[in-house]
Amino acid sequence: MSEKLRHLKQAGQGAFVDRHTTRAKSLLHPYEKGVKSKYGLVGLPLSKTSISHSGASFAPAAIREALQSYTVYSGEAKVDLEEKIVDFGDVYLSPTNLIENQHSLYEALVDVFQTDTAENYFLLGGDHSVSYSAMKAYKEVFGDIGVIQFDAHHDLRNTEDGGPTNGTPFRRLLTEGILPGENLVQVGIRDFTNAKAYDQYAEDQGVAVYTMADVRQDGIEQILSKEVERLAGKVQAIYISLDMDVLDQAFAPGCPAIGPGGMDTDTLFEGLSLLGGHDMVQAMDIVEIDPTIDFRNMTSRVAAYSLLQFMKAKGMR
Ligand code: CA
């Protein structure tokens, strides 16, 4: 518009702008070679590998957009988040070749990590199968990892029944020796959601499993403090895998596998704050959000809020 009309502004601009408010989405900056930051972010939009119907491939965009719902200011900590998040974009994926896609995710993330851009990485899925590729790449570049997995499920299914789906990532990581069982901590495992055989498999492999009953009884802080200290002594970095279905269906309606008896958001944020405050915790994936079935973007908003809680904890230490 070369000559402005009175009372009109350009189409698509927000209805209201407050000069003192900075939205969290403005922390995202496209990747530029050589520019370093405390945080990097990559979208891993793969969900055709899901056992159940899933539009989780839309989640990376929905989570970025949900950052617009928040300001950068923590009133509790009295600080503005200022460190930018370098956004590497989304990994290109084929519509038809699912196994090749898992390899593409791995290759893409090796490339990203080798740029040595960020101290901490956020990896946005996608269904939970993306964690296999992400952790494989992370280990290759940064060394041995310990993993804190928030999940209603073990994700230790056999691969004979359906190939490398979103039910198998940790089984594959264990059997391929990428992640020893004793370096895996599963938190929030839920009743009537898993098979006995996989509970037994976890135990046989030395996986530390905490059910929702354990979380309610011992408290998230006690569990995570103990496990982070244990892992810190034996690995190069600690990686959080946040499957949103760890949350009760009341808090995460946009997960393909919803159910009652799950975690509440306060407990999750308390856990992420504790983990973010630890030097060795340097990566987090967020998976299993399907924006096409979500209600008012509630679940993507939880994801965006989780990123901010993690950053707040990093900023405060
Ligand atoms: Ca999972």
Side-chain angles (χ1 to χ4, degrees), residues 128 135 147-156 169-170 184-189 207 239-243 246:
H128 215 157
M135 289 178 195
V147 173
I148 309 281
Q149 175 195 354
F150 289 90
D151 206 327
H153 312 85
H154 291 294
D155 290 356
L156 292 169
F170 295 95
L184 176 59
V185 179
Q186 302 190 317
V187 183
I189 298 297
V207 177
Y239 179 124
I240 303 169
S241 189
L242 173 53
D243 183 331
V246 75

Side-chain angles (χ1 to χ4, degrees), residues 228-284:
V228 164
E229 287 312 315
R230 182 178 68 84
L231 291 172
K234 51 197 270 188
V235 296
Q236 262 68 56
I238 296 173
Y239 179 124
I240 303 169
S241 189
L242 173 53
D243 183 331
M244 273 302 166
D245 72 24
V246 75
L247 293 175
D248 189 277
Q249 61 189 1
F251 297 93
C255 292
I258 54 168
M263 196 176 280
D264 60 40
T265 41
D266 284 345
T267 304
L268 174 63
F269 298 146
E270 194 186 334
L272 294 177
S273 297
L274 183 146
L275 293 172
H278 201 287
D279 277 343
M280 289 195 69
V281 179
Q282 293 168 2
M284 173 161 69

Side-chain angles (χ1 to χ4, degrees), residues 71-127:
T71 72
V72 295
Y73 181 62
S74 164
E76 294 179 10
K78 305 266 183 235
V79 292
D80 274 328
L81 297 180
E82 288 171 344
E83 295 271 358
K84 64 176 174 290
I85 306 170
V86 173
D87 190 345
F88 286 84
D90 294 338
V91 177
Y92 173 77
L93 296 169
S94 149
T96 49
N97 198 333
L98 306 186
I99 307 292
E100 188 185 288
N101 282 341
Q102 292 179 337
H103 192 66
S104 299
L105 291 178
Y106 158 75
E107 287 186 334
L109 288 174
V110 167
D111 288 348
V112 165
F113 297 149
Q114 281 178 342
T115 65
D116 196 25
T117 296
E119 295 166 30
N120 304 280
Y121 285 96
F122 300 129
L123 310 166
L124 308 181
D127 70 45

